[in-house]
Amino acid sequence: MLSFFLLKASRYLYIIQRRIIISRNELKGDNFWLEWRELLSGCLAASGRGSSENKAVSKRACLLDCVCYGLGNFSSCVSARYQLAMLLLLFDTLEIPVGQCSMYDPVFTVSECETLRELGFTVLTENEEGKRAICRPTLFYLIHCGKALYNNVLWKNWSLQVLPNVIVIGNSFLGIQERMLQRELERDYSFLSDAIGVCEETSLPCSPRFLDVFNDTALIRFPTDKISELPDSIWAEPVEPHYQHCPDLEIILKERQLN
């Protein structure tokens, strides 16, 4: 009986992985992927990461760590599966080792965690709520995540020295600003509000076929020369956000998860 269940579980993992591979191949065959590849490769080359100009983009990309939050249930949700497939495609093309990417979503099932581990990802066991301090260039892959997650990432790395090492592929910050009242943005998501005016945002194209999956997605960076325009007082002792005024918070908090 035990061997039967093990065989059934193994087959289920195989089916999930097979669907991810099919999704990856579908994305690779779409023209908008070529635009993504060109834009992202160009941005990585422009960043330099302290390397000499004639070094390959892939060498710079390998210096990147990656964190992916809020992907969703990719075993059952088609959009989440395409987003995972796109991440794998980015790693393959830019030669970023999958093992340099940490994944977390409180909704992941046991089978999904096992699938990610088999693909080579590091699956986090603790809900960081996006509050991860980085020490080297890191890509945060946060497509269609809640505003609090972006705000928390910014807060945890809020300094002139660290913030330029943060690279985001996720919701357009400008789009977030357009959809919110400015006073609410400043009150509830102050780090996001402060960063919008000084970040460098590159809109990523989307095929009509994948509009629900990648719409409103952008590459967002924080160049030192631009964030230096912010007043010195903004950088002094940043206060951890708590979101008391957000009844519809788009993030699963650790305390609520435990309850």
Side-chain angles (χ1 to χ4, degrees), residues 31-203:
N31 287 334
F32 92 101
W33 155 245
L34 300 178
E35 298 180 69
W36 272 53
R37 184 177 66 181
E38 183 177 353
L39 283 169
L40 294 173
S41 298
C43 288
L44 282 173
S47 297
R49 304 297 171 210
S51 306
S52 60
E53 292 183 2
N54 60 353
K55 286 190 176 181
V57 170
S58 62
K59 297 298 182 183
R60 297 188 183 104
C62 284
L63 298 175
L64 285 174
D65 285 334
C66 178
V67 181
C68 174
Y69 295 128
L71 181 66
N73 294 118
F74 57 87
S75 62
S76 56
C77 176
V78 175
S79 293
R81 188 156 59 244
Y82 277 121
Q83 289 167 7
L84 175 56
M86 175 63 85
L87 184 59
L88 289 168
L89 196 55
L90 290 173
F91 288 166
D92 288 347
T93 302
L94 301 175
E95 298 183 29
I96 300 174
V98 176
Q100 288 179 200
C101 183
S102 298
M103 307 279 287
Y104 185 79
D105 193 318
V107 305
F108 281 157
T109 65
V110 173
S111 296
E112 287 170 337
C113 289
E114 184 60 30
T115 298
L116 291 172
R117 292 189 186 98
E118 290 193 7
L119 290 171
F121 291 101
T122 298
V123 180
L124 303 174
T125 57
E126 180 182 350
N127 185 353
E128 300 176 335
E129 299 178 352
K131 300 170 184 176
R132 167 168 288 222
I134 64 171
C135 57
R136 68 182 211 162
T138 300
L139 171 65
F140 286 89
Y141 191 76
L142 309 172
I143 296 180
H144 293 175
C145 286
K147 296 179 285 294
L149 208 52
Y150 297 103
N151 199 55
N152 287 351
V153 167
L154 294 173
W155 165 73
K156 196 64 177 179
N157 299 284
W158 194 255
S159 77
L160 280 167
Q161 295 73 37
V162 179
L163 196 57
N165 286 326
V166 173
I167 303 168
V168 176
I169 293 180
N171 299 3
S172 163
F173 283 10
L174 294 174
I176 291 173
Q177 184 182 45
E178 290 173 358
R179 291 187 293 271
M180 283 196 72
L181 293 174
Q182 186 62 30
R183 67 175 182 275
E184 293 181 358
L185 182 63
E186 294 173 359
R187 181 194 65 194
D188 300 331
Y189 308 101
S190 60
F191 299 97
L192 182 56
S193 176
D194 289 336
I196 286 173
V198 293
C199 67
E200 186 173 284
E201 181 171 309
T202 304
S203 179

Side-chain angles (χ1 to χ4, degrees), residues 9-26 74-75 81-82 84-85 88 111 115-116 118-119:
S10 178
R11 177 168 174 75
Y12 182 63
L13 293 178
Y14 170 79
I15 291 173
I16 296 174
Q17 291 187 30
R18 181 62 183 164
R19 288 174 178 171
I20 293 169
I21 292 171
I22 291 172
S23 298
R24 175 186 175 279
N25 291 338
E26 289 179 9
F74 57 87
S75 62
R81 188 156 59 244
Y82 277 121
L84 175 56
L88 289 168
S111 296
T115 298
L116 291 172
E118 290 193 7
L119 290 171

